[in-house]
Amino acid sequence: MIDDAAQRAVEAVARDSYGRLVALLSSQTRDVAGAEDALGEALLAALSSWPRDGVPKTPEAWLVTFARHRIVDQARRARVRADHAEALRRLAAEGSKPSGDLPDRRLELLFVCAHPAIDQALHTPLMLQTVLGLDAARIAQAFLVQPAAMGQRLVRAKTKIREAGIPFEVPDERERPKRLDAVLEAIYAAYGLGWDEAAGADSRTRDLADEAIWLARTLRARMPDEPEIRGLLALMLFCEARRPARRTAGGRYVPLSEQDAATWSPATIEEAETELAAAARHGRPGRFQLEAAIQSVHAERRVTGRTDWEAIAVFYDELVRLAPTLGARISRAAAVAEARGPELGLARLDEIAPADVADYQPYWAVRAHLLQRLGRRGDASKAFDRAIGLTEDDAVRRFLLESRG
Amino acid sequence: MKYVMLIYEPPVSFESRDQVRSSPYVAAWRAYYKTLVEAGVYAGGAPLKDVATATTVRVRDAKRRVQDGPFAEAKEQLGGFILLELPSLDAALEWAARCPAAAVGTIEVRPMDEEIHETIVSP
């Protein structure tokens, strides 16, 4: 009985506080891998000592104290570099203090994970591992990378954080917009992965989409005056509101234009609108606010029964001007086609260099549908084939096969 | 770099080969093949008849041994292979995920042993 309660307490603190404790432990030593190891040992120690001695009054503080002693021991055994000695002395001093109120350094850790010195492809994986405590195998699965390879890349990135001395701090005003963009991009990428795997995700593993939203909320709480954080949060919430409508009960894919708006979550849409409005009050538009604004127009269909494609096309023009990503350019073409006709949409697609879209499924899917609407059956069929050949999701593949006819 | 995708399929996939006109699975394969070729990554491959058609040959002590089979009961059988020319394993995994068989069976991706290949084929 007691054992069970103690074990549950360890599991609960590991689940809820992992990222906060890693951030706190590594913020002084800049050694993320060392902090993870020390926290892992502390959790193991807790599993054996809490059932015996009882769960401490402040479990997190107990773990931090244990882990700090472990880090200091480790460093003493290894030969410590001079520039680390000061940090370790500080850590040793704090380790003996009874710390009830632990500072939250997750924000700093987020900025470290998305630092320009770290390969951009690793920003999201690092964030998922260090801040959220996901293991390398699970991250590899989401990124479609060999688990051992993902493990190695993460280890190398953490070594770089330590060796290069990447600072655990929130960048100053001058640097912040660019650095914050990288953090937001990484969070949005995590959301996209969760969205993609929504179909058959293992229910035991926490959903990446939920985690991404949680990270954005955490970020907003620490930096309430950054409108792009609210923009990203609003964008993810708008998408989240429509999530159940994306597939029929039988697992068939339903494109946005054919979704039953009555099944969208009004409460989530309302929260998204509130965030977007709060962001807009700052008068500093950005990429994520624009994307959220586009989703807000889509959400209006719930009330008005129609989609204002012209408004969406105008927002996309602005978005492409600000951030000309492939995804934005293709979505703009689709919106232009709806608002002003398929010829003009196709003209937008033709502006994109073929080499950039050779492997890009959304381009071929949109192109196929536009060619079909223009009655160019042969060209449409070829584009559909290309889109089908590039599709990973079986439900989407079936939808495209049926559309092709 | 060359990679081989070994494609393991469940019985239902083999059965769909009898409906080449109506099967969405076969239609998806046709589109997938075209896309591999157009992307310039296809370097060969072949679908295989099901394992009941297999015959094994061994020579031991100068004696030929020919058998039907193997008849290992498995949910998925090797249904074919594709050879790909690609810059990295990551790219090979991308293409494997897009393979229609990945949604119903298993794709095993292996790098070709180019070193031993070189040793064997060089004069």
Side-chain angles (χ1 to χ4, degrees):
Chain A
M1 213 30 214
I2 290 172
D3 284 20
D4 274 3
Q7 190 169 345
R8 274 202 303 277
V10 177
E11 281 166 8
V13 75
R15 193 176 54 240
D16 301 335
S17 311
Y18 184 89
R20 218 152 62 80
L21 299 184
V22 168
L24 180 62
L25 289 166
S26 57
S27 63
Q28 281 153 336
T29 59
R30 295 176 183 176
D31 183 358
V32 178
E36 286 177 321
D37 290 347
L39 182 59
E41 287 184 45
L43 287 166
L44 268 181
L47 275 177
S48 65
S49 99
W50 293 3
R52 191 181 61 231
D53 308 333
V55 177
K57 233 181 261 154
T58 51
E60 291 185 0
W62 188 97
L63 290 168
V64 166
T65 304
F66 186 101
R68 275 180 178 152
H69 284 305
R70 194 40 61 104
I71 290 170
V72 173
D73 287 349
Q74 292 276 331
R76 278 195 193 119
R77 250 174 280 146
R79 284 165 55 86
V80 186
R81 288 205 338 233
D83 55 338
H84 283 172
E86 176 54 30
L88 285 166
R89 262 197 297 281
R90 257 200 327 267
L91 205 54
E94 282 182 30
S96 48
K97 266 195 312 213
S99 40
D101 220 14
L102 298 169
D104 188 351
R105 310 296 302 274
R106 277 177 302 194
L107 187 58
E108 289 79 355
L109 183 55
L110 280 173
F111 277 102
V112 168
C113 292
H115 193 275
I118 305 280
D119 178 0
Q120 203 192 340
L122 284 173
H123 289 178
T124 304
L126 261 181
M127 206 174 260
L128 293 176
Q129 189 173 50
T130 61
V131 183
L132 296 173
L134 267 59
D135 66 27
R138 166 103 175 85
I139 297 167
Q141 198 183 334
F143 278 85
L144 199 65
V145 168
Q146 207 188 22
M150 179 56 82
Q152 279 167 10
R153 287 174 207 178
L154 286 166
V155 167
R156 275 202 294 273
K158 286 180 226 169
T159 306
K160 172 136 193 197
I161 292 171
R162 190 186 63 217
E163 298 299 321
I166 293 175
F168 274 67
E169 59 192 26
V170 174
D172 61 28
E173 301 283 324
R174 204 163 40 84
E175 281 240 5
R176 191 180 297 174
K178 237 180 117 191
R179 296 283 309 279
L180 183 62
D181 276 354
V183 172
L184 298 180
E185 289 284 352
I187 294 175
Y188 190 44
Y191 182 79
L193 291 167
W195 182 246
D196 288 343
E197 68 175 8
D202 182 346
S203 59
R204 281 182 307 113
T205 55
R206 291 183 295 173
D207 192 295
L208 284 184
D210 290 340
E211 300 287 13
I213 289 172
W214 180 84
L215 278 176
R217 285 190 208 279
T218 307
L219 206 53
R220 181 202 47 182
R222 286 282 301 273
M223 304 175 99
D225 293 330
E226 289 291 349
E228 277 293 89
I229 298 174
R230 289 184 192 271
L232 172 62
L233 182 54
L235 170 60
M236 294 191 292
L237 290 170
F238 277 124
C239 295
E240 206 56 20
R242 295 199 305 258
R243 205 208 286 228
R246 238 179 125 224
R247 280 169 206 260
T248 64
R252 292 171 65 89
Y253 169 75
V254 187
L256 174 55
S257 61
E258 287 166 29
Q259 286 174 13
D260 177 3
T263 61
W264 298 345
S265 158
T268 313
I269 290 175
E270 198 188 314
E271 192 191 351
E273 294 289 2
T274 308
E275 287 299 333
L276 183 57
R281 276 196 288 277
H282 288 275
R284 279 151 50 206
R287 180 221 153 159
F288 288 112
Q289 292 170 75
L290 278 168
E291 288 205 44
I294 289 162
Q295 298 309 320
S296 167
V297 179
H298 279 301
E300 275 169 27
R301 175 152 74 83
R302 221 186 133 262
V303 183
T304 63
R306 57 177 290 276
T307 304
D308 184 350
W309 284 105
E310 187 53 41
I312 291 176
V314 169
F315 277 134
Y316 269 120
D317 278 336
E318 188 63 16
L319 181 61
V320 168
R321 203 181 54 77
L322 214 67
T325 61
L326 214 42
R329 296 179 70 187
I330 288 157
S331 298
R332 171 173 68 166
V336 165
E338 293 293 335
R340 304 164 201 165
E343 295 90 349
L344 291 173
L346 200 59
R348 289 296 196 193
L349 285 183
D350 287 338
E351 289 166 6
I352 302 172
D356 293 344
V357 290
D359 289 357
Y360 199 66
Q361 191 267 7
Y363 172 88
W364 294 100
V366 170
R367 188 173 185 86
H369 281 110
L370 296 188
L371 287 166
Q372 193 173 49
R373 279 176 55 190
L374 289 167
R376 290 166 57 180
R377 295 192 54 180
D379 293 339
S381 179
K382 272 187 204 149
F384 269 119
D385 280 345
R386 192 71 171 262
I388 292 160
L390 291 168
T391 298
E392 220 176 289
D393 184 331
D394 206 38
V396 174
R397 188 156 43 221
R398 296 216 165 210
F399 168 78
L400 290 169
L401 277 165
E402 281 162 22
S403 307
R404 186 188 63 177
Chain B
M1 300 270 290
K2 285 202 169 71
Y3 293 88
V4 176
M5 298 199 297
L6 299 169
I7 298 148
Y8 292 86
E9 298 175 284
V12 62
S13 300
F14 283 91
E15 284 156 22
S16 69
R17 294 181 184 184
D18 296 336
Q19 297 112 40
V20 288
R21 290 258 157 252
S22 61
S23 159
Y25 185 65
V26 175
W29 262 105
R30 220 177 265 133
Y32 180 63
Y33 170 75
K34 271 189 215 161
T35 306
L36 288 174
V37 172
E38 273 172 47
V41 299
Y42 183 82
L48 304 175
K49 293 212 176 205
D50 81 274
V51 76
T53 66
T55 312
T56 53
V57 176
R58 294 185 183 86
V59 178
R60 298 286 185 276
D61 304 322
K63 284 201 186 74
R64 292 171 170 191
R65 293 181 195 171
V66 178
Q67 281 183 322
D68 277 349
F71 294 120
E73 282 295 318
K75 284 206 186 88
E76 293 172 356
Q77 296 174 6
L78 186 63
F81 69 92
I82 294 176
L83 185 63
L84 297 172
E85 175 75 57
L86 289 166
S88 71
L89 176 64
D90 288 3
L93 298 181
E94 287 284 344
W95 283 107
R98 294 165 180 157
C99 176
V104 288
T106 308
I107 314 295
E108 182 177 331
V109 179
R110 292 226 211 154
M112 175 175 145
D113 193 333
E114 299 196 44
E115 205 177 319
I116 192 69
H117 182 252
E118 200 50 41
T119 311
I120 292 167
V121 301
S122 63

